Amino acid sequence: MANLEEPSSALTVTSSSNLSTESSSLPAAADAGNSLEVASLTRLSCNLDRLLIESDFDYSDAEIVVDGVAIGIHRCILAVRSRFFHELFTQESSPAGKLRYEMADLVPGGRIGKEAFRVFLGYLYTGKLRAPPPEAAICVDATCAHDACSPAVNFAVELMYASSAFQISELVSLFQRRLLNLVDKALAEDVITILLVAFRSKLGQLQNHCIQRVARSDLSSITLEKEIPAELANEIRSIRRNSQPREGDSLDADAIHAKRIGRIHRALDSDDVELVKLLLSESGISLDDAYALHYAAAYCDSKVVAEVLELGSADIDLKDGRGYTPLHVASMRREPAIIVSLLRKGASTMETTADGQNAVSICRRMTRAKDYYAKTVQGQESNKDRLCIDILEREMRRTPFAGDEAVTSPAVDDGLCSNLLYLENRVAFARLLFPSEAKLAMKIAQAETTSEFTGISASRSSSNLREVDLNETPTTQNKRLRSRMDALAKTVELGRRYFPHCSQVLDKFMEDDLPDLFYLQKGSADEQKIKRMRFCELREDVRRAFGKDKAECGRSGLSSSSSSSSSLKGDSKSKATRK
C-alpha cells in the first residue's frame, strides 16, 4: 500500500504545483490580452481616422453637403454606426456615381455646421470625440473665457442636433449634460437656442431647465412670441404670472396697452410705416412707449428701420426694460445696414448694458473667430459679422469717450478691473515670448501711451500713497482705465489676427497654467523646477506656433520681424532662469 500511495502522493504534489503555476500566469496572460486589444483598437481608430483627414485615402461612396461644402462619407461605416443612416441608405439603389445628400434635408429642424459635422463624423469613425476647432467655438472678445459665449453654445447645440437626428444615444446623453452646465452661465438669448434643440430632440430634463431659466430672465414677451414655439412661450408666461401676481384692474390695463403695442409691431412686420403713424395718433402711444425702434432693429429690414428713424420722434439711445438701446439690439442681430442707420442718426457706441457691455463688445461676444479672421476675397462680399465690428470700432475711435460723462456711477466696477488684469497678464506674456512683435502691436494700438494697470486695491493702499494722484476724480480714473483696456484689447486683437497659432497657445496657458506659473520664484525648489520646466514647454509650444503662423500667413507688417525665434532661444530662457 505504501508503494501505491507514493506515486499517488507524488502525482498530487505535481498536480498542485502545475495548478499554482497556471493560476499565477492567468493575470499576466489577461493583461497581455487586454494590452493587445487596446493597441489593436487604437490602431484601428487611427486607421479609420485617415479616411477622414487624408486625401490619399478618399474612398468615399457618398457626399453630404454642409454649408455649401461636400463632405465625403463611407456608407458602410455610417450604416453600422447609426440606425438613421442604415434606413436612409437602404432606400437608395446602387447609383452610377456618388450619392449626394443635403444636410438641410437630413436635419430640417436645426442647423449643423461643417465643423461640428466633421467632429461628429470623427466620433462615428474612430469612437473618439475630438475637441472643437477653436476658431469655430470661440468668440473674438479678448476678455471672454469662451466657456459660455455664443459660439461655444452654438457649437454644442449643433453637435446635439447631429447626435439626436442621427440617433447616437451616448452622444445625446453627453451633450445634454454639457448643455445643462451652460444654461445658467449663458446669455438668455443663447438659452433660447438650447431650449429649441431640447424641444426638437425631446429632452425633457434640459427643456425644463431652460424654461425655468428663461422664466427668471428679463427677456420680453415679444421675444418669447417671436422666437420659440407657442406651447413653450405659454408655459414660461404661466410661470411668470404665478411668481408675480397682480391686481385685476392692473392686469386689464396692461392687456389693453399690450394689445395696442402689438398692433404697432404687426404694422412694422408688414413694412407699413404709414399705418404705424396712424396707430400712434389714434392710441396715444409713442414710438418710445412701444419700443418701436428696438423692435424694428431686431425683426424688421433696414428699410423699415430707416423709415422709423425718419419719423424723428424716437429716442435713439432709449433703453428698454433690459437696459438695451436699439444699437445694442442691432449689434446682437449683426446686420450692418441697420447699425449704420442708427449710427448716422447719432446712436452712441459708448452706452452700456446692465452688465457693462457696449455695442462692439456684444457683437464681438457673438462672433466666431473663424468668421472674423476669414480672409476677404477680392470681388466677394465681406463677412457681415466682421463688418459690423469694424463699423462700431471706427465709430468708437471717432468719439472715444462720448458717453463717459453720462455714467451715473463713476466708480470703477469689478468687471473692468478683472478684464484689465487679464489683459495686462496676457500682453505681459506675449512681450516675454515674442518681444519685438508684441512691442509693434502695442505701438499700433497706442498701448504704450497709457499707464500700466496694477490693480485698484494696490493703488489705494497706504503703502502706495506716493503713487496715487489725489486730484484724480473717479470719472477721470474711469476714462484712464478704459483707455488702457481698449489699447490692450486692440493689442491682443492684432496678435490674434497676425499670430493665430501663438494666440491659441497663450489662450490655453492663460486658462490652465497662469495661477501657478505666473510667479516662477514662488514655492519650494522642486515646485520652482516644475514651473521652469512647464515654462520651457510653453516656450517650445510658442516657437512651433510662431513657425506655423509665419509659414501660413507670409504677411508683412507684424510678421515681418523674426525676433520670436531668437528671443525664445535667448531672452525668454534667461528671463525664465532668473525667475
Side-chain angles (χ1 to χ4, degrees), residues 142-143 412-430 451-459 481-482 484-486 488-489 492 509-510 514-515 518-519:
T143 65
V412 178
D413 58 27
D414 293 337
L416 176 60
C417 294
S418 62
N419 289 343
L420 267 171
L421 285 174
Y422 173 87
L423 290 170
E424 290 285 5
N425 292 334
R426 178 75 162 66
V427 173
F429 271 92
S451 57
E452 184 177 354
F453 176 73
T454 56
I456 296 297
S457 59
S459 65
L481 295 181
R482 288 188 180 277
R484 177 67 175 175
M485 187 176 73
D486 290 342
L488 291 176
V492 173
F509 164 71
M510 293 293 293
L514 178 61
F518 192 69
Y519 298 103

Side-chain angles (χ1 to χ4, degrees), residues 179-466:
L179 291 172
L180 280 168
N181 291 332
L182 289 175
V183 169
D184 291 324
K185 296 189 292 184
L187 289 173
E189 288 82 2
D190 291 328
V191 175
I192 287 182
T193 305
I194 301 175
L195 175 58
L196 290 176
V197 71
F199 176 72
R200 290 165 181 162
S201 302
K202 296 181 172 61
L203 304 173
Q205 182 184 5
L206 181 58
Q207 177 177 312
N208 291 335
H209 193 38
C210 290
I211 287 174
Q212 294 296 327
R213 169 74 166 82
V214 174
R216 295 193 307 270
S217 74
D218 53 6
L219 287 175
S220 67
S221 296
I222 296 170
T223 302
L224 303 182
E225 179 182 345
K226 299 287 287 187
E227 299 186 16
I228 65 176
E231 60 185 276
L232 298 179
N234 291 335
E235 186 174 350
I236 293 169
R237 292 191 190 98
S238 176
I239 294 173
R240 287 180 171 179
R241 282 194 299 268
N242 293 335
S243 63
Q244 297 177 343
R246 290 175 294 178
E247 297 296 332
D249 293 342
S250 175
L251 187 62
D252 292 340
D254 288 345
I256 295 171
H257 185 74
K259 187 175 182 179
R260 292 172 177 172
I261 290 176
R263 289 173 179 168
I264 295 172
H265 292 165
R266 286 192 292 274
L268 289 171
D269 288 334
S270 302
D271 298 349
D272 194 342
V273 178
E274 289 300 320
L275 178 57
V276 170
K277 293 167 62 176
L278 179 61
L279 291 173
L280 291 174
S281 62
E282 289 181 350
S283 64
I285 294 176
S286 68
L287 286 174
D288 291 345
D289 292 335
Y291 293 113
L293 195 51
H294 292 77
Y295 185 91
Y299 303 113
C300 302
D301 60 31
S302 58
K303 176 177 175 291
V304 174
V305 174
E307 290 178 354
V308 173
L309 287 170
E310 289 302 320
L311 295 179
S313 57
D315 182 353
I316 194 70
D317 289 325
L318 176 70
K319 291 188 176 182
D320 61 12
R322 305 185 63 205
Y324 281 51
T325 68
L327 186 60
H328 293 152
V329 175
S331 297
M332 296 186 73
R333 183 177 174 181
R334 287 166 292 167
E335 181 58 51
I338 295 176
I339 290 175
V340 170
S341 294
L342 292 168
L343 291 175
R344 284 178 176 174
K345 288 295 183 178
S348 172
T349 58
M350 303 304 295
E351 292 287 342
T352 58
T353 61
D355 58 353
Q357 299 292 315
N358 59 26
V360 71
S361 63
I362 290 172
C363 209
R364 281 183 163 276
R365 193 65 62 91
M366 302 187 74
T367 299
R368 297 188 304 175
K370 174 180 180 293
D371 298 326
Y372 184 78
Y373 295 112
K375 292 182 179 179
T376 302
V377 180
Q378 186 175 4
Q380 294 186 6
E381 185 178 354
S382 300
N383 181 274
K384 290 172 63 175
D385 295 345
R386 178 172 181 171
L387 185 57
C388 289
I389 294 173
D390 289 344
I391 290 169
L392 291 168
E393 286 185 339
R394 282 197 294 270
E395 183 66 18
M396 288 185 71
R397 286 193 293 269
R398 192 177 70 84
T399 54
F401 302 112
D404 276 6
E405 295 297 336
V407 178
T408 56
S409 176
V412 178
D413 58 27
D414 293 337
L416 176 60
C417 294
S418 62
N419 289 343
L420 267 171
L421 285 174
Y422 173 87
L423 290 170
E424 290 285 5
N425 292 334
R426 178 75 162 66
V427 173
F429 271 92
R431 295 177 69 182
L432 178 64
L433 294 169
F434 35 101
S436 295
E437 291 77 15
K439 182 178 180 180
L440 183 55
M442 292 183 72
K443 182 177 180 181
I444 295 174
Q446 298 181 346
E448 294 177 340
T449 63
T450 60
S451 57
E452 184 177 354
F453 176 73
T454 56
I456 296 297
S457 59
S459 65
R460 289 174 178 169
S461 64
S462 58
S463 60
N464 290 291
L465 281 177
R466 285 180 296 178

